[in-house]
Amino acid sequence: MAKGQKAQAKGEQARGKVKKVVGGAVGNESLRTRGKDEESKGDLRAAKEKAKDAIKPK
């Protein structure tokens, strides 16, 4: 399950970055904002997974 969550986080980060860059390039502030939001969501998901890995017994 964790690998799927990590992959989902990376996907959200990548999609968000693309939307943010494209929105900025074409002057679409709405698309740029949605991209920033999606990228932040991916960042939070990745941080959650790192925290879970840090407390997992080895």
Side-chain angles (χ1 to χ4, degrees):
M1 180 72 172
K3 288 184 181 181
Q5 292 292 319
K6 288 178 184 178
Q8 188 175 1
K10 290 292 184 187
E12 286 173 343
Q13 290 169 331
R15 282 190 306 274
K17 184 171 281 283
V18 168
K19 286 180 184 178
K20 186 172 72 172
V21 169
V22 170
V26 298
N28 186 335
E29 193 61 34
S30 175
L31 181 61
R32 185 173 170 269
T33 302
R34 284 191 309 241
K36 286 170 63 175
D37 291 344
E38 191 168 349
E39 188 175 18
S40 294
K41 185 178 173 184
D43 291 342
L44 289 172
R45 187 182 306 274
K48 178 187 81 169
E49 292 302 316
K50 284 183 183 179
K52 283 176 22 180
D53 287 345
I55 62 172
K56 187 184 333 181
K58 301 205 180 202

